[in-house]
Amino acid sequence: MRMYDLIEKKKCGGILTKEEIDFMIRGYTHGDIPDYQMSAMTMAICFQGMTPQETGDLTLAMRDSGDTLDLSGIRGIKVDKHSTGGVGDKTSLTLAPLVSSVGVKVAKMSGRGLGHTGGTIDKLESIPGFSTELTMDAFISQVDRIGMAIMGQTAELAPADKKLYALRDVTATVDQMALIASSIMSKKLAAGADAIVLDVKCGSGAFMRDRKGADALAEAMVSIGKHAGKQIWAYITDMDQPLGNAVGNAIEVREAIETLKGKGPEDFRELVLTLGSRMCVFAGVAKDFDSAYALLAEQLRSGKALEQMARFVEAQGGDASYVFDETKLKIAAHTKQLKAERDGYISGIACAEVGMASLALGGGRETKADIIDPEVGIYLYKKTGDAVRAGDMLAELYYNDEKKGAEGLERLAKAYRFGDTAPEKRAIILGEVEG
Ligand code: URA
């Protein structure tokens, strides 16, 4: 087999076989196929597309290019959740303790933030003592014992995707649906869960800006999951404004804990209950979605989900007293306020700008080597659809460095848009794709 012939075949609209895809991914991972041939192939895929069968085969080839986690040592059904990423997305911090409090097993490998979106690992590290560095044995035994664990990614999951993604990034071939779906799903499948719930974000702060793209991505990923024999379900959810009110690190952990206490912003609570209910049905701990929803709402109300969060934090070396009193999590003492300049309605919040404002404060990384400041962040007092009077506080920024604070405020001011009439309200759950 020659890579040249495979490029020629795809260029002319041919369908690659599983053997050809395996050959290509194996060769590329080991360095036998050079970047220039692979970039010709990804460009041909951009023009000719891939069938669902090809996309599934590509995903499995990338999944098998490195380590795959063996979670068989954990009793019960392991359910994973994946979000395509957004601003203020603290979902895993609330969702994992909530669903594991009713018996769903959650073995989660998470990442750090880069660019305008945050990472679960950085957020968790704002809890004093908390360690995200576990051995694989400790990780598996913790999930088996208490129902959940979250660790930083150590295993080399899907190295073919890592190499291919870096190549796509510099050859204008990122935005091809089959390539995006196979990239995300190869890593999810390598992480070893029995069932997967996907949160496909849609809007100005998301990878998929419009509904058509988000639906297509959700459908492509669900199709891959089924191809791999997994239980899978996707929700398309709103990311046209930040999720909840808090954006940052410690400040997001506070909001995640408030939600575990039965409070928290309504959009965030609904998202967590929806994703969680589907996870419960997959794990067999509830007979249907509605009974799962009621069960989880009761776990929030009764404090059982919060107790599970405390168990999880303690198991990973953290100080559980911060869970019972989240205000102990330190937030930067210097504040700046963004005020409305006119009467009217908030007609939109440019989500990516809010993420960039948090980054400017020091809450994120521009390069992998940057060190983040867990204390800085933003609290949005007004969100899309709210009526405001000139002078009302829209948002507050918390910072430790005056120059960064000023820069953050300047960016945040660009995020808010105003109108004279109330905009149509967008639901948090926009749609779903059944597995
Ligand atoms: N995220 C990924 O992991 N891969 C893509 O291709 C796009 C977003």
Side-chain angles (χ1 to χ4, degrees):
M1 218 178 277
R2 292 192 316 155
M3 184 64 177
Y4 178 94
D5 300 326
L6 304 190
I7 299 168
E8 180 69 21
K9 183 174 181 185
K10 185 43 82 182
K11 185 183 79 177
C12 299
I15 295 172
L16 301 175
T17 65
K18 179 176 171 4
E19 291 67 36
E20 287 167 339
I21 290 172
D22 285 347
F23 165 83
M24 172 174 90
I25 293 301
R26 210 177 315 111
Y28 186 55
T29 310
H30 295 143
D32 302 332
I33 293 173
D35 279 348
Y36 54 81
Q37 283 192 311
M38 199 60 180
S39 48
M41 174 59 87
T42 53
M43 190 56 84
I45 292 171
C46 283
F47 286 114
Q48 298 291 0
M50 286 187 119
T51 64
Q53 180 71 42
E54 282 177 298
T55 311
D57 289 340
L58 174 64
T59 310
L60 298 190
M62 293 203 292
R63 175 198 67 185
D64 296 335
S65 66
D67 298 331
T68 49
L69 300 194
D70 176 7
L71 303 181
S72 59
I74 301 166
R75 288 164 291 179
I77 297 177
K78 281 73 71 179
V79 189
D80 203 353
K81 160 259 171 190
H82 178 77
S83 154
T84 56
V87 178
D89 190 357
K90 66 229 35 119
T91 307
S92 295
L93 302 180
T94 306
L95 182 63
L98 173 60
V99 298
S100 64
S101 76
V102 293
V104 180
K105 294 289 170 66
V106 183
K108 196 146 185 52
M109 280 207 171
S110 288
R112 294 189 181 276
L114 190 62
H116 78 276
T117 60
T120 300
I121 293 298
D122 296 323
K123 291 170 197 176
L124 281 169
E125 284 178 352
S126 48
I127 301 171
F130 193 93
S131 170
T132 55
E133 288 174 23
L134 305 181
T135 63
M136 210 54 224
D137 284 349
F139 177 68
I140 285 175
S141 92
Q142 181 178 316
V143 181
D144 193 47
R145 198 173 72 253
I146 71 160
M148 69 167 290
I150 301 180
M151 69 181 283
Q153 190 176 310
T154 48
E156 246 235 300
L157 303 184
D161 171 65
K162 196 171 174 187
K163 207 171 162 193
L164 193 57
Y165 190 78
L167 184 75
R168 288 165 54 213
D169 208 21
V170 293
T171 54
T173 54
V174 167
D175 62 349
Q176 202 284 334
M177 205 55 73
L179 295 178
I180 298 171
S182 58
S183 164
I184 295 173
M185 288 301 292
S186 63
K187 290 170 285 204
K188 272 294 109 181
L189 294 176
D194 305 306
I196 302 164
V197 174
L198 299 167
D199 179 5
V200 180
K201 303 287 191 194
C202 173
S204 67
F207 199 63
M208 290 295 153
R209 299 280 158 116
D210 61 23
R211 196 48 211 283
K212 199 163 159 255
D215 282 354
L217 179 59
E219 274 159 22
M221 292 198 291
V222 165
S223 156
I224 293 171
K226 289 201 292 195
H227 182 87
K230 302 286 177 189
Q231 298 192 85
I232 186 159
W233 200 284
Y235 288 94
I236 294 108
T237 75
D238 186 46
M239 190 38 73
D240 216 31
Q241 63 175 335
L243 180 61
N245 300 97
V247 178
N249 290 282
I251 196 168
E252 286 196 36
V253 179
R254 280 192 184 192
E255 189 163 86
I257 293 172
E258 279 166 18
T259 308
L260 282 166
K261 288 183 171 175
K263 298 176 274 181
E266 196 41 49
D267 60 343
F268 179 55
R269 177 184 157 90
E270 193 188 334
L271 176 68
V272 167
L273 285 171
T274 302
L275 300 174
S277 300
R278 187 59 56 198
M279 292 171 83
C280 288
V281 175
F282 278 165
V285 302
K287 68 177 192 319
D288 57 32
F289 183 89
D290 290 344
S291 54
Y293 202 96
L295 173 70
L296 294 181
E298 177 55 21
Q299 292 297 103
L300 294 177
R301 197 205 56 76
S302 66
K304 297 256 174 59
L306 185 75
E307 283 166 23
Q308 174 68 351
M309 177 71 168
R311 226 171 275 130
F312 156 61
V313 166
E314 203 164 84
Q316 294 194 212
D319 182 343
S321 70
Y322 285 69
V323 174
F324 296 109
D325 180 6
E326 74 279 8
T327 61
K328 284 174 73 177
L329 286 161
K330 197 153 176 269
I331 305 293
H334 300 285
T335 62
K336 284 188 192 293
Q337 298 183 348
L338 179 70
K339 302 228 166 122
E341 286 177 0
R342 50 164 284 189
D343 293 357
Y345 291 88
I346 310 293
S347 60
I349 302 177
C351 215
E353 281 296 336
V354 180
M356 294 308 281
S358 174
L359 183 67
L361 295 176
R365 294 185 188 80
E366 278 173 69
T367 70
K368 277 190 183 166
D370 288 350
I371 293 172
I372 65 159
D373 181 347
E375 296 179 9
V376 302
I378 299 166
Y379 194 86
L380 306 172
Y381 283 94
K382 299 285 182 193
K383 291 189 65 183
T384 304
D386 288 345
V388 291
R389 306 293 299 262
D392 281 356
M393 181 159 62
L394 301 176
E396 192 160 41
L397 290 89
Y398 308 90
Y399 64 95
N400 281 320
D401 176 308
E402 188 58 43
K403 192 161 158 273
K404 291 182 179 174
E407 205 183 313
L409 183 62
E410 198 183 314
R411 286 217 83 123
L412 191 64
K414 290 190 197 143
Y416 275 88
R417 290 189 299 273
F418 298 87
D420 295 325
T421 51
E424 206 175 304
K425 199 160 165 40
R426 251 167 91 106
I428 184 72
I429 310 294
L430 301 171
E432 60 193 293
V433 177
E434 210 180 304

